[in-house]
Amino acid sequence: MTGSNLKIELEKLIGKNKVSSDIGDRLCFSRDVTPICYKWIDLYKLPPYICDVVVSPENTEDVIKIVQFAKKNKIKIFIYGGGSGVVGGVIPTEGGITIDMSRMSKVVILDEESLTIEVESGIIGQNLEDFLNKKNYTLRHFPQSIRSASVGGFIATKSTGQFSTKYGGIENYVTGLEVVLPDGNVLITSDKPRSSTGPDINNFFIGSEGIFGIITRAILKIYKMPEKVIYHCFIYEDIFSALDSIREIMQTGLKPPVIRLYNREESRQKFAKLGFDYDGCLMILCFEGNSELVDAESEVAQKICTKMKAKNIGDELGKLWFDNRFDTRHILEKEEEFGGVSDAIELAASWSKIKKLYADVESYFRKKQITLASHFSHAYTTGISVYNIFFLNVKDEEEAIKRFYAVWNDVMEIALNNDATISHHHGIGIIKKDKLREELNEGINILENLKEKLDPDNIINPDKLITKMI
Amino acid sequence: MNFDKKSLRQCIYCHNFCKFSCVPYLATKNQKIIQTQKNYLVYLVNENKVKPNAELGEAVYLCNDCRRCETYCIFEGKNVLPNNRYAKNLIFKNMLAPKKVYDIYNNLLNSGNFLGRETGQNEIRNFDKNKKYDFFIYPGDYVNMLAPGITKSFIEILGKLNKSFVLCDDDEVSDGVLALDLGMEELAGELMEKNFKKITQYKFDTLVVLNPHSYYCFINDYEKYGFKFNFEIIHYIDFLKRYIDNLKIKKTDDYVKYFDPCILSRGLKMNESPRNILGTLCNNQNFDLVKNRDESECCGGNLSLIFPDISRTISEGFLNELKSYDDKTEILITVCPLCLSNLSKAQNSDRFKIYDLIEYVSNNIV
């Protein structure tokens, strides 16, 4: 079916003002913030993948009609939440229909007794947070993409946030979902505090990157605004003793929402303009919640850090980090240069493996003479995530894309050799899927079988997450 | 209005940190309004990769220059307004803007104001070109056309202070800010020249501008277009700062919130003075809405002139949300004729009384 026929047929189904074949819309909805999307701007006249039509459903019934139509006509569907993904999850690799979820952005129910909120999945994270703040509540899920990402995108990519060490990733928030399945049926999962009724169905969709269905509503946990928030900053001589401090903090049972550790290079690079003037690794620690608990946790944490010979430098840099936490200018300026590319590779490993992983990654970039800035964040009792930001500058955009993929491939190899995960929170998309089989082993067959059963014609978000083409 | 390739590329490469703040986007869900997407398409047009069309034209004009995105811009927020004006100029020249934009153009060209109202309808005052006055009052066309009560209140206050003035209202020509904001660069220059000639005919110490959008234009744009004034130019907020202590004010127990107008908070960075003036009038001193100063919300702005339904959706949305979480506020104060007009029209109950600050001051003089 051609673009104009497709538009006419979809307009008949859901209404004229919900369908667009305008080239501007098609271009806007065919890109996210994956580095290769940027490189395509100057490399090609137009990007290699453009959807044929954009549809903007206003309710679940519209989504059902679109899915049933696509299934019947064997037209591919791609789902666009906020367009903030960094692994190409929205790229319409086979043309077809892109579903823009932005019109489904209503708050459905705020349950102040249970402390949950039901929302349509197209709501932008920050708009939800603002809504809650006005009523003295908070989600406390603060990914760096919060100002553009949708709740549906949070869930589909299994996102985490900057305050995750206390509140967990998005999987710790979701208590219920509404999903339009690839056959057009609607699944509504139960909203219970816990249930022993078989595997948690929500978890089939959290991190599914849209391949099992379209998330249309979600029920999420919320919190009361914290009574007290305090920051501590420490300087460590070496990164590994700082890591030992974090492990002890976590294994002692403390719950700092934020615990971030920057290596020497990133401490300087990121914080020099905020007044950082030390030769060492910066650790930022935050506690928040009930005032008495915060004071107690804070005291214990300070003792642990001091024991590890850390220098306490007060709270100022922590507060400045919070105020400047979206400032990624130094990364994006590199990307904007012709032939420039940078990206963040977010790995995670258990405590017994993290130091070797970090050393191997650092050694790789040093040998390749590629600039690297690393920090640790998102800590657990069992391990921690390490965020590796690399910067490349080569002769042109084509070479930049080649080198980008080569770096990703090599670092994922290093991760797998160290029994680390290749993605802590950005997801797989089209960038990492070739390595997913190596990490999941037999698990990938389960995902593929599930996809085949739910979506035998491979209609919804094809080419993402799993590699097997049905 | 030059094509600034570097700043456009920076915006295109950004991770959309301003998306959530774009009020016209939230009201319409038109993806092409968001700065990074709009600039992406404008960039492709300039690189001859796509042709501009009416859909892009509509999206470009759906941006009302509220500049909330500047607050969250990780690059140079100062490029937002020039890039908006460049995009509008590009669309305007290609005859791809919404029809109402060309209606406004014709009105400005033929009548000197955006409504196309015949001039000379107001009382004609015979001001003496040889006399030296204390002030030249420049209301600005938003005040004249949408909120003339602002001028009336200001004159009442001048009367209480025994100050002499020249008033530019009976045949005032638009200052040019609306033309600039709508991409009509050439016409803006012509309007500025007419204003320059008219104002400089009189002798006075200080030009007091009542419309903050006009004030912004006088202090930021006139000189760029070759019109340099050799006298002091102030907004009425600065006037009140100087003279509020000379007025006999009756303090009130009203619960008042201050709605920061975009042009004051983000354009002119005048955040504390209106609050300080309110502080001299009110016993209850917390004037901040949840989103305030450079994060303040939007009234719909100049969208009310081109897309009135969308503007109304925005202003109604703000008032309805405020009602949902604030059961105390009685009065909303603003310092902008557009905010006053848009919010007043959007009232569907008498839950809030809405005033411009100058009206509120005037009402509370003993």
Side-chain angles (χ1 to χ4, degrees), chain A residues 22 25 28 31 38 41-42 44-45 80 82 102 105 126-127 130 134 147 328-329 335-336, chain B residues 6 9 13 15-17 19-20 25-26 29 31-32 36-37 43 49 53 76 291 297 321:
Chain A
D22 167 51
D25 281 322
C28 290
R31 72 178 196 134
Y38 296 139
I41 295 172
D42 293 298
Y44 303 117
K45 184 165 191 285
Y80 188 102
S102 66
S105 58
Q126 188 64 52
N127 293 134
D130 287 345
K134 284 170 182 168
R147 291 176 172 176
T328 50
R329 182 176 177 151
E335 293 208 65
E336 183 267 318
Chain B
K6 179 79 179 171
R9 282 176 63 84
Y13 273 67
H15 288 197
N16 272 310
F17 292 115
K19 182 174 182 175
F20 82 101
Y25 164 71
L26 293 173
K29 299 298 164 61
Q31 184 81 195
K32 297 187 294 262
T36 183
Q37 297 286 35
Y43 182 84
K49 293 185 175 189
N53 60 17
E76 301 297 332
K291 290 283 176 187
E297 302 199 52
E321 196 185 18

Side-chain angles (χ1 to χ4, degrees), chain A residues 7 9-19 62:
Chain A
K7 180 172 183 265
E9 292 303 315
L10 284 162
E11 281 177 346
K12 280 185 207 160
L13 267 182
I14 60 169
K16 270 196 167 178
N17 63 345
K18 301 177 193 172
V19 188
D62 285 346

Side-chain angles (χ1 to χ4, degrees), chain B residues 157-158 160-161 239-240 243-249 361 365:
Chain B
I157 290 171
L158 281 176
K160 298 273 181 194
L161 293 166
F239 173 90
L240 283 179
Y243 293 103
I244 192 83
D245 291 339
N246 299 354
L247 296 166
K248 282 187 186 167
I249 303 284
V361 171
I365 293 175

Side-chain angles (χ1 to χ4, degrees), chain B residues 76-227:
Chain B
E76 301 297 332
K78 65 181 167 56
N79 291 322
V80 168
L81 193 60
N83 284 339
N84 282 352
R85 286 177 176 179
Y86 173 79
K88 284 178 181 167
N89 187 242
L90 173 81
I91 294 298
F92 184 77
K93 282 190 303 195
N94 281 283
M95 300 303 290
L96 293 167
K99 184 185 170 295
K100 282 203 174 167
V101 173
Y102 296 103
D103 293 344
I104 290 172
Y105 176 81
N106 288 327
N107 289 338
L108 287 171
L109 187 69
N110 299 324
S111 310
N113 62 73
F114 62 84
L115 289 181
R117 191 182 288 168
E118 280 181 36
T119 54
Q121 289 188 345
N122 296 326
E123 181 190 347
I124 305 287
R125 296 175 180 82
N126 293 314
F127 295 108
D128 184 349
K129 285 180 182 142
N130 296 314
K131 184 182 163 187
K132 175 94 182 278
Y133 295 92
D134 294 322
F135 298 102
F136 187 110
I137 308 171
Y138 190 94
D141 47 358
Y142 289 155
V143 169
N144 286 335
M145 303 293 143
L146 303 173
I150 290 175
T151 310
K152 188 169 167 276
S153 297
F154 190 71
I155 290 172
E156 280 170 12
I157 290 171
L158 281 176
K160 298 273 181 194
L161 293 166
N162 287 321
K163 298 291 180 189
S164 63
F165 62 89
V166 184
L167 175 63
C168 174
D169 70 345
D170 59 309
D171 58 349
E172 183 182 299
V173 172
S174 172
D175 43 70
V177 67
L178 181 60
L180 272 181
D181 286 344
L182 297 183
M184 306 161 186
E185 192 178 16
E186 211 171 294
L187 177 61
E190 289 167 20
L191 294 170
M192 286 182 203
E193 187 176 4
K194 284 182 185 170
N195 274 285
F196 184 79
K197 281 182 181 163
K198 175 168 182 174
I199 293 167
T200 51
Q201 289 177 74
Y202 293 93
K203 295 187 181 72
F204 55 90
D205 292 323
T206 302
L207 177 76
V208 186
V209 187
L210 305 187
N211 171 14
H213 292 273
S214 309
Y215 175 64
Y216 184 90
C217 185
F218 276 125
I219 63 170
N220 286 292
D221 295 310
Y222 268 65
E223 199 170 331
K224 285 182 206 159
Y225 281 76
F227 306 110

Side-chain angles (χ1 to χ4, degrees), chain A residues 79-232:
Chain A
I79 309 142
Y80 188 102
S84 65
V86 290
V87 291
V90 305
I91 295 173
T93 43
E94 300 182 39
I97 301 167
T98 285
I99 302 185
D100 155 33
M101 297 300 291
S102 66
R103 292 192 196 174
M104 293 182 65
S105 58
K106 287 191 280 295
V107 170
V108 183
I109 299 166
L110 171 63
D111 182 343
E112 297 185 76
E113 197 169 356
S114 311
L115 286 185
T116 60
I117 189 158
E118 182 173 352
V119 293
E120 291 183 327
S121 64
I123 191 168
I124 294 175
Q126 188 64 52
N127 293 134
L128 173 57
E129 181 65 20
D130 287 345
F131 172 87
L132 289 167
N133 291 171
K134 284 170 182 168
K135 295 173 191 300
N136 217 23
Y137 297 112
T138 174
L139 194 64
R140 244 61 205 144
H141 184 67
F142 299 149
Q144 196 169 54
S145 60
I146 188 170
R147 291 176 172 176
S148 57
S150 67
V151 164
F154 289 168
I155 298 167
T157 57
K158 201 173 181 181
S159 71
T160 197
Q162 288 157 334
F163 282 47
S164 71
T165 301
K166 177 169 182 163
Y167 300 98
I170 195 70
E171 67 276 16
N172 297 97
Y173 286 85
V174 175
T175 68
L177 288 176
E178 178 188 89
V179 184
V180 176
L181 298 169
D183 61 3
N185 284 321
V186 178
L187 167 77
I188 297 172
T189 65
S190 68
D191 170 29
K192 309 279 194 309
R194 187 176 186 274
S195 174
S196 175
T197 51
D200 186 344
I201 301 293
N202 288 329
N203 283 337
F204 288 120
F205 300 95
I206 299 171
S208 68
E209 303 193 10
I211 68 167
F212 297 147
I214 301 169
I215 298 161
T216 46
R217 283 190 187 196
I219 303 173
L220 305 170
K221 288 180 198 169
I222 58 169
Y223 294 89
K224 291 178 181 170
M225 287 296 261
E227 193 179 293
K228 184 174 185 178
V229 181
I230 55 171
Y231 283 90
H232 298 287

